[in-house]
């Protein structure tokens, strides 16, 4: 029975270590994404969330260490008590039952910590998905802005060209009007004052 519990405890420890590594990786990734944000408000919000996750991770690690230490102390105390009690069979049975109960309690505690870390991993994943979606939206808006910027520049060029053409048209109209008036004056001069 003790070996079955030992195996279960080892499996819980391995799960906790795996979750711990995943949480650390997600936190680092979230922190990197926060540093890459252009908007200062989004950057600060994400960095605050990173800090919250780091605090929760530290709290989980502390709880895990305390549970582990409590387990070791309980096992040591039980072994000492068993050694001091001698060979009483009834006492040994009680000690084994107590040891099994303590191991079960510790296993439950480790499972609770494992669940907390799993929840932390899910929260980090959700935060990363939200961040990825907002980054995608920002990139789309940036592409649209670039497209609009190109359209605006083309419009500016066309307006500048139109203004130049309008100036040229005004100059040509003025010259044509001056030529027309000169022609009218010449004709009038020839008709009214033929001797000049």
């Amino acid at each position: 029975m003790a070996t079955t519990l030992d195996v279960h405890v080892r499996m819980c420890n391995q799960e906790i270590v795996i979750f711990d590594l995943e949480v650390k990786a997600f936190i680092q990734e979230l922190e990197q994404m926060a540093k890459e944000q252009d908007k200062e408000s989004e950057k600060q919000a994400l960095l605050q969330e990173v800090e919250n996750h780091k605090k929760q991770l530290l709290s989980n690690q502390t709880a895990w260490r305390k549970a582990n230490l409590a387990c070791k102390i309980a096992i040591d105390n039980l072994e000492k008590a068993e050694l001091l009690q001698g060979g009483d069979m009834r006492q040994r049975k009680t000690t084994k039952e107590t040891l099994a109960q303590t191991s079960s309690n510790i296993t439950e505690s480790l499972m609770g910590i494992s669940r907390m870390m799993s929840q932390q991993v899910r929260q980090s994943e959700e935060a990363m998905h939200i961040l990825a979606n907002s980054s995608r939206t920002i990139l789309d808006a940036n592409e649209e802005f670039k497209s609009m910027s190109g359209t605006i520049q083309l419009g500016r060029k066309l307006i500048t060209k139109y203004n130049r053409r309008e100036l040229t048209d005004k100059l040509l109209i003025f010259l044509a009007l001056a030529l027309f008036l000169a022609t009218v004056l010449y004709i009038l001069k020839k008709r009214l004052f033929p001797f000049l």
Side-chain angles (χ1 to χ4, degrees), residues 125-160:
E125 286 177 345
E126 289 172 6
M128 284 185 53
H129 287 301
I130 290 169
L131 183 61
N133 287 339
S134 70
S135 294
R136 194 174 310 117
T137 303
I138 289 171
L139 287 174
D140 290 344
N142 189 25
E143 289 299 319
E144 190 172 326
F145 175 73
K146 286 179 182 176
S147 172
M148 291 175 85
S149 176
T151 305
I152 290 170
Q153 286 178 353
L154 180 63
R156 184 180 302 137
K157 286 179 184 176
L158 289 174
I159 288 172
T160 305

Side-chain angles (χ1 to χ4, degrees), residues 73-92:
I73 290 171
I75 290 173
D76 287 345
N77 288 339
L78 287 173
E79 286 177 353
K80 285 178 188 176
E82 189 177 302
L83 285 174
L84 293 175
Q85 293 297 327
D88 187 7
M89 289 301 283
R90 199 173 105 230
Q91 193 70 22
R92 283 185 184 174

Side-chain angles (χ1 to χ4, degrees), residues 19-193:
F19 285 138
D20 182 53
L21 293 174
E22 286 179 2
V23 167
K24 286 178 182 175
F26 281 126
I27 288 173
Q28 286 177 349
E29 200 167 330
L30 188 61
E31 188 172 21
Q32 181 63 34
M33 291 176 115
K35 289 177 181 177
E36 292 173 356
Q37 290 300 308
D38 291 335
K39 277 185 148 182
E40 190 63 29
S41 60
E42 289 179 6
K43 182 178 185 177
Q44 291 303 321
L46 286 173
L47 286 175
Q48 181 62 39
E49 191 165 336
V50 167
E51 283 304 313
N52 291 342
H53 286 304
K54 283 182 179 179
K55 287 177 185 175
Q56 183 67 37
L57 177 63
L58 187 61
S59 172
N60 289 345
Q61 287 173 338
T62 304
W64 183 65
R65 287 182 185 131
K66 285 180 181 177
N68 215 359
L69 184 61
C71 174
K72 287 180 181 180
I73 290 171
I75 290 173
D76 287 345
N77 288 339
L78 287 173
E79 286 177 353
K80 285 178 188 176
E82 189 177 302
L83 285 174
L84 293 175
Q85 293 297 327
D88 187 7
M89 289 301 283
R90 199 173 105 230
Q91 193 70 22
R92 283 185 184 174
K93 185 175 182 180
T94 305
T95 304
K96 284 184 179 181
E97 288 174 2
T98 307
L99 182 61
Q101 182 63 37
T102 304
S103 294
S104 177
N105 291 342
I106 292 168
T107 301
E108 286 301 317
S109 176
L110 289 174
M111 291 294 283
I113 293 169
S114 176
R115 283 189 293 274
M116 284 174 44
M117 292 183 83
S118 176
Q119 182 181 7
Q120 182 92 18
V121 168
R122 280 193 299 276
Q123 287 176 348
S124 295
E125 286 177 345
E126 289 172 6
M128 284 185 53
H129 287 301
I130 290 169
L131 183 61
N133 287 339
S134 70
S135 294
R136 194 174 310 117
T137 303
I138 289 171
L139 287 174
D140 290 344
N142 189 25
E143 289 299 319
E144 190 172 326
F145 175 73
K146 286 179 182 176
S147 172
M148 291 175 85
S149 176
T151 305
I152 290 170
Q153 286 178 353
L154 180 63
R156 184 180 302 137
K157 286 179 184 176
L158 289 174
I159 288 172
T160 305
K161 187 175 181 181
Y162 173 75
N163 286 339
R164 274 189 262 131
R165 179 164 270 176
E166 184 180 15
L167 180 64
T168 305
D169 288 348
K170 285 180 182 178
L171 184 62
L172 288 174
I173 289 171
F174 176 74
L175 290 175
L177 184 61
L179 182 64
F180 175 74
L181 289 175
T183 306
V184 168
L185 286 176
Y186 177 76
I187 291 172
L188 284 175
K189 179 184 162 207
K190 287 290 185 182
R191 298 254 171 144
L192 295 177
F193 307 107

